[in-house]
Amino acid sequence: MATLPITKRGADKLKAELHQLKAFERPAVINAIAEARAQGDLSENAEYESAKDKQGFVEGRIQEIEGKLSVAQVIDPAELDAGGRVVFGTTVDLEDEETGQKVTYQIVGEDEADLKHGLININSPIARALIGKEEGDVAEVQAPGGLRRYEVVAVRYC
């Protein structure tokens, strides 16, 4: 199975979610199922069905996170030295050549991506266009509104 790149922060976030699911969500669902069973007839027991659905979700999410962590390649951006090139985990300051608007993105794994916080998925068109670029280079990105050109203003490993 292929490795899954993830930042240290992203791995910590997944581990915290896994702990929450195993230590709190799973026992709560088991209790809810037990309480619903105690009410008798399970064939028309909405609480039981709801608890079983929740159990399926919790167990599925636990398996998904454990699977991702088992193949994760944890990358600490602070330990990177790619010679000024944009790689997974780097933070990039960009300037839109047309509008002059400046943006900052960190290239992260798909589970960490959050555009509102400047975290973009490694598989996104803009991240793919940026990989390998250096300060002063121009990345061309095919956006829904047409071709966009971004100048790489700064590359940071933090």
Side-chain angles (χ1 to χ4, degrees):
M1 183 174 230
T3 60
L4 176 72
I6 190 168
T7 65
K8 183 174 179 333
R9 179 184 62 238
D12 291 344
K13 184 177 172 186
L14 283 179
K15 288 175 186 174
E17 181 182 355
L18 184 61
H19 174 72
Q20 173 71 22
L21 288 168
K22 285 183 167 182
F24 301 104
E25 299 291 328
R26 181 187 270 168
V29 168
I30 291 170
N31 287 339
I33 290 172
E35 287 176 14
R37 274 197 181 128
Q39 294 177 7
D41 185 14
L42 299 180
S43 64
E44 295 183 19
N45 190 327
E47 289 84 13
Y48 178 76
E49 290 300 321
S50 175
K52 289 298 283 182
D53 288 345
K54 174 106 180 186
Q55 181 183 37
F57 171 79
V58 168
E59 294 301 325
R61 185 65 181 149
I62 287 171
Q63 286 182 347
E64 180 183 359
I65 293 171
E66 286 176 338
K68 287 179 179 183
L69 289 173
S70 71
V71 297
Q73 178 186 5
V74 180
I75 298 170
D76 185 352
E79 295 177 4
L80 292 176
D81 183 15
R85 291 197 178 285
V86 176
V87 294
F88 180 88
T90 56
T91 300
V92 186
D93 296 329
L94 304 171
E95 183 175 339
D96 186 315
E97 286 194 334
E98 185 178 313
T99 65
Q101 180 182 3
K102 295 183 180 189
V103 292
T104 300
Y105 295 126
Q106 181 181 16
I107 300 174
V108 297
E110 72 178 62
D111 286 309
E112 304 170 77
D114 184 352
L115 193 56
K116 291 179 185 172
H117 292 101
L119 304 172
I120 59 172
N121 183 344
I122 183 70
N123 296 316
S124 68
I126 190 162
R128 288 194 314 256
L130 290 170
I131 295 294
K133 300 286 192 250
E134 298 177 335
E135 286 183 23
D137 288 351
V138 174
E140 293 184 347
V141 180
Q142 187 61 47
L147 187 66
R148 306 295 297 223
R149 294 172 49 90
Y150 295 96
E151 179 183 348
V152 178
V153 178
V155 177
R156 298 187 309 268
Y157 307 102
C158 53

